[in-house]
Amino acid sequence: MPPRPQGLRLVTEPGLPAALVDHADLRIHRLLEDSAIKYREFAVTQETSLHMSPQGDLDSGWSGDAEGETDAVIFVTELPRAQHRDVVVIELDHARSAAVICTPALGLLPTRAFVACIEAILSRLSGGERTATGPVGGRWRGGDDGSTELLIARGMSSRLRLVAGMIRGNRPWRMIPTLTGMTAAAAATASFGVFFSSIWSMANALSPWRLTLISVLSVTLGSLWLIVNNRLWETSDLMPRWRRTLYNTATIGTVGFSAVVLYVGLFVATLIAAVVVIESKFMSQTLGQAVGIREYVVLAWLATSMGMVAGGLGSSADSYDDVLRATYGHRERIRRRRADERERRREES
């Protein structure tokens, strides 16, 4: 077994993995101080994994320029990893004092689990015994080739946690500002409902459960159109079926989250506009009944749903590249393109 690590270097992919290390920086320093291990800071690299297997990821994540032979190197990746039907959280190579952490497997709030993963890695590299359960309830298992050690998370909860972590990795909040065409079309259609009394009467006649159904349908249709129109659905045969399924599930969650946030924001704006523009006495005369906040709410509710359907059609005006950046499949293709370019430059030199 290699000597106990004297230092630690973190190598991360750009984006969320690097942001996660930044956010956990204070906790990492405290952990290393308690363990008497020197923190070598961290580096962000484009040399990311393309092998799509745990051992291949470890090979790509290994960096040979650490400051000493006794330093541990941990590569932090956003790529989902699996062994059969189980989620791989950590892969550890004792011979090289190297490890890979899969951040999506840590779920929606990964900071505490991420620091726990670092602690578990350093403990195993120092000769510590395997605990009954590791971070996020995973269990240690020897790799298929016998030279590595995997922290495996099993069961439906681990897969749901992985999907949730992938949705977070897509950073759907960054997708919302790019939906300018969808937002403009949705706002224009919603304003139509504010100014036409026929929409007032229709909204007032609809029951809450029917309005809810219309809301769900409008968000669903808007999301589907956004996925289809921008070709976000992953169909590539260059990746295993399980990975395509994960990517598409994360895309649905990402687009759905963005659509719901857009719906809520549009509802609030439409409600305010209706209260400001429509005088209650005039609405009362039109509807033939007393008017309160309920009538304004149901009007904004129906108008927002109408706007979401029209907004889906307006999504064709959005930046295609900006929308694609919120999908794992697109980011993986960028990795492949960069790897091909690096290989071509090596051959030319």
Side-chain angles (χ1 to χ4, degrees), residues 189-206:
T189 306
S191 65
F192 173 87
V194 173
F195 290 104
F196 286 82
S197 59
S198 58
I199 305 299
W200 305 355
S201 301
M202 185 184 301
N204 190 56
L206 293 174

Side-chain angles (χ1 to χ4, degrees), residues 142-218:
D144 289 339
D145 60 0
S147 64
T148 59
E149 194 172 28
L150 306 177
L151 182 66
I152 299 293
R154 309 186 66 180
M156 182 59 67
S157 62
S158 65
R159 299 188 192 103
L160 292 175
R161 188 187 303 112
L162 176 64
V163 172
M166 291 178 67
I167 293 173
R168 184 181 187 275
N170 281 337
R171 292 183 281 188
W173 54 89
R174 290 194 173 186
M175 186 178 183
I176 296 172
T178 69
L179 303 179
T180 53
M182 186 173 187
T183 303
T189 306
S191 65
F192 173 87
V194 173
F195 290 104
F196 286 82
S197 59
S198 58
I199 305 299
W200 305 355
S201 301
M202 185 184 301
N204 190 56
L206 293 174
S207 61
W209 72 265
R210 192 177 294 274
L211 284 168
T212 301
L213 178 61
I214 294 173
S215 298
V216 172
L217 288 175
S218 66

